């Protein structure tokens, strides 16, 4: 039974043989180093950076809505502190704190406004931001042609 289940999970031999070679670390297929600066950012740092950004966004929105709670204005301030810094500098305030940044996969240029806006919208939808591939890139990274790296 174990052999049958194992072969079913791994797929037919012809499919296994046609796949790309096994990678040894996240980002290897992209030509990124295994560790250190320029390697794929760990999930924990990304999550912490996101948490810093949403707390900062709530505080900024709260400055304008006090004594009332900021409500959806937090989303507006979060979008601003996410899109503009990523578009022009490659990182949000939370990313700067955690030592990570966003880079384009296809070029050395800045991320740019269209890609940063797409990343923001897809992150707000949540599902694309939490589904990852073996390179440590989520759907919003893949759809925007970006990768999050260590500084």
């Amino acid at each position: 039974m174990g052999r049958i289940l194992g072969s079913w999970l791994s797929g037919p031999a012809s499919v296994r043989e046609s796949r790309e070679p096994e990678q040894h670390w996240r980002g290897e297929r992209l030509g990124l180093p295994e560790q250190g600066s320029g390697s794929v950012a760990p999930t924990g740092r990304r999550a912490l950076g996101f948490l810093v950004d949403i707390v900062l966004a709530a505080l900024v929105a709260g400055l304008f809505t006090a004594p009332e709670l900021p409500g959806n204005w937090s989303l507006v301030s979060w979008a601003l502190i996410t899109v503009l810094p990523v578009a022009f500098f490659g990182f949000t305030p939370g990313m700067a704190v955690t030592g990570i940044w966003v880079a384009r996969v296809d070029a050395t240029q800045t991320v740019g406004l269209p890609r940063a806006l797409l990343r923001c919208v897809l992150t707000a939808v949540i599902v694309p931001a939490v589904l990852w591939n073996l390179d440590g890139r989520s759907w919003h990274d893949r759809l925007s042609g970006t990768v999050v790296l260590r500084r």
Side-chain angles (χ1 to χ4, degrees), residues 37-131:
S37 181
S39 64
V40 173
T43 306
R45 282 193 193 189
R46 290 181 71 156
L48 182 60
F50 180 70
L51 180 63
V52 169
D53 288 338
I54 59 174
V55 168
L56 180 62
L59 292 173
V60 168
L63 291 174
F64 296 101
T65 62
E68 301 294 320
L69 293 175
N72 287 336
W73 287 107
S74 292
L75 291 173
V76 173
S77 64
W78 173 77
L80 289 174
I81 68 171
T82 298
V83 172
L84 297 176
V86 167
F88 299 108
F89 306 112
F91 56 88
T92 65
M95 289 178 172
V97 167
T98 57
I100 59 177
W101 61 291
V102 180
R104 286 178 55 166
V105 173
D106 64 345
T108 58
Q109 310 165 307
T110 59
V111 173
L113 202 52
R115 291 172 193 262
L117 186 59
L118 178 61
R119 283 179 54 85
C120 179
V121 168
L122 291 174
T123 301
V125 175
I126 297 175
V127 173
V130 297
L131 297 176

Side-chain angles (χ1 to χ4, degrees), residues 125-149:
V125 175
I126 297 175
V127 173
V130 297
L131 297 176
W132 302 70
N133 70 0
L134 295 176
D135 286 319
R137 296 173 66 211
S138 60
W139 281 13
H140 78 297
D141 290 323
R142 290 180 280 170
L143 291 172
S144 64
T146 59
V147 62
V148 180
L149 305 172

